[in-house]
Amino acid sequence: MSSGSTRREKKELAKVKDETLQKEEPVFLKWHAQTQQQVHELLKKTPEELQLELKEILGFRNHQVCMKEAALLDYYVCGFWWAREANFDPPQTSFTMAVLYMLLENIREKQMSLVENMLELAKALGAANQCSTSEEDTVPLLTREEATALINYIRNSLFQKYTLYQLLFSSSREELLTGVERNVEVFSCQDGFTPMEEGIPSHLLSQ
């Protein structure tokens, strides 16, 4: 009896777990650096104002002298501005920035290959396609056209330059400048150059 009861309990627990997993709704990525209200305010900024704001938000205070910070700041500013030009609302813009951040972190922290990162992008977009921006709204976060536009942007801005971003995180600018030695041979002649015979008139040579 106890053995049969145990088996029955295990089946019931497994059934409950399956039902729980089915009820769990996918959650789309959000940009944790800013709330949706703050994103809404950023969408009103000019490009110059946006760069100043993101510089402070992301802590890139040396972007004028640090190549890495300058490249990353440009990456995020361009991504945010693209979302604005695409008429994305704050939740969509927050998702876009979160995806851009996730893909970069996958390169920096996990050293993911291009194919692996493309799969991560597909997962994020799949979750966004099943999520709505509010409980009352049944429209997905991104339409098919919007998702396609985002994929094309990421392909052009990140995936086509993937090796450069890998290099950006694997080597510092200082290492690139000081880590390579070059030997340069310098010709030195204290007496100056001796003219060639071909350049001297024949009557002078015969004297």
Side-chain angles (χ1 to χ4, degrees):
M1 293 293 292
S2 60
S3 176
S5 177
T6 303
R7 291 177 182 175
R8 192 180 305 110
E9 290 175 356
K10 288 182 178 179
K11 289 182 180 180
E12 290 177 354
L13 286 173
K15 184 178 180 181
V16 170
K17 289 181 179 179
D18 291 339
E19 291 177 352
T20 303
L21 290 174
Q22 291 176 0
K23 291 179 181 179
E24 288 181 354
E25 296 182 356
V27 179
F28 64 87
L29 294 174
K30 296 180 182 179
W31 190 31
H32 296 297
Q34 295 283 274
T35 65
Q36 290 192 15
Q37 180 59 37
Q38 291 171 323
V39 171
H40 177 73
E41 294 300 321
L42 286 175
L43 287 170
K44 302 176 183 178
K45 304 292 184 181
T46 65
E48 293 76 15
E49 292 171 339
L50 178 63
Q51 179 170 327
L52 291 174
E53 291 286 343
L54 289 183
K55 178 192 71 173
E56 295 299 324
I57 293 170
L58 301 172
F60 294 149
R61 295 178 176 83
N62 298 318
H63 68 284
Q64 293 183 338
V65 294
C66 177
M67 183 187 69
K68 181 181 292 185
E69 287 194 6
L72 295 179
L73 180 60
D74 181 72
Y75 172 81
Y76 286 115
V77 171
C78 290
F80 194 99
W81 194 256
W82 175 87
R84 181 184 184 278
E85 291 293 299
N87 294 319
F88 277 16
D89 59 19
Q92 292 172 322
T93 303
S94 177
F95 172 76
T96 299
M97 297 299 290
V99 168
L100 294 176
Y101 175 80
M102 176 196 72
L103 296 175
L104 271 192
E105 286 301 296
N106 287 342
I107 299 175
R108 173 168 29 198
E109 299 295 335
K110 301 179 181 179
Q111 290 81 46
M112 279 192 180
S113 66
L114 174 58
V115 174
E116 290 173 328
N117 230 352
M118 291 175 68
L119 292 175
E120 291 298 311
L121 173 60
K123 291 178 184 178
L125 290 173
N129 190 46
Q130 301 177 45
C131 295
S132 57
T133 55
S134 64
E135 295 181 357
E136 297 80 11
D137 192 3
T138 58
V139 179
L141 179 68
L142 296 175
T143 65
R144 178 177 297 181
E145 291 75 16
E146 290 168 339
T148 301
L150 179 56
I151 291 172
N152 290 335
Y153 174 76
I154 293 175
R155 180 190 62 195
N156 295 330
S157 63
L158 176 62
F159 289 163
Q160 289 186 355
K161 306 170 185 175
Y162 205 80
T163 303
L164 294 178
Y165 280 99
Q166 287 177 317
L167 180 62
L168 184 69
F169 291 124
S170 62
S171 302
S172 67
R173 179 63 177 170
E174 291 73 20
E175 290 174 345
L176 291 176
L177 289 176
T178 61
V180 180
E181 295 183 357
R182 290 288 185 269
N183 294 323
V184 180
E185 295 184 3
V186 179
F187 179 79
S188 176
C189 180
Q190 296 180 354
D191 299 329
F193 291 100
T194 303
M196 297 178 62
E197 293 184 0
E198 291 82 355
I200 301 176
S202 58
H203 70 279
L204 293 178
L205 290 174
S206 61
Q207 292 180 358

